[in-house]
Amino acid sequence: MSGGEGSLRVDKWLWAARFFKTRGLAAEAIAAGRVSVNGERAKPAKAVKPGDALAIRRPPYEHLVTVLGVSERRGPAAEAQKLY
């Protein structure tokens, strides 16, 4: 876990934070316009860093989260929740 330093692609971050089961599903949601970073529509390669605000629309829910940390790997749910 990379605590809070640096940045990470938004599709990798969504996968590591357990919003999507695979990075491919995360990329599909981003391409469909269901993910925005700091109020702007995101692309899969968009870098996110601690402090960024994400809006993730997974009908019927919309998750509004702030990035607290980045991680290259997908860990247990308890660790993933520390990322936002």
Side-chain angles (χ1 to χ4, degrees):
M1 179 110 13
S2 302
E5 303 304 316
S7 63
L8 189 66
R9 288 173 56 113
V10 69
D11 57 346
K12 272 187 166 181
W13 188 90
L14 289 167
W15 167 75
R18 294 185 164 263
F19 282 99
F20 295 94
K21 278 188 182 244
T22 67
R23 200 167 137 200
L25 289 173
E28 284 177 24
I30 294 165
R34 294 196 300 267
V35 176
S36 59
V37 178
N38 297 326
E40 296 180 9
R41 187 171 170 168
K43 293 186 177 176
K46 169 81 174 154
V48 294
K49 60 190 178 311
D52 284 345
L54 270 65
I56 305 146
R57 289 172 289 288
R58 294 188 64 201
Y61 305 106
E62 180 171 2
H63 303 279
L64 302 173
V65 299
T66 301
V67 177
L68 299 179
V70 294
S71 176
E72 285 282 338
R73 65 180 189 83
R74 183 177 170 111
E79 277 187 37
Q81 288 178 342
K82 294 176 185 173
L83 298 178
Y84 57 94

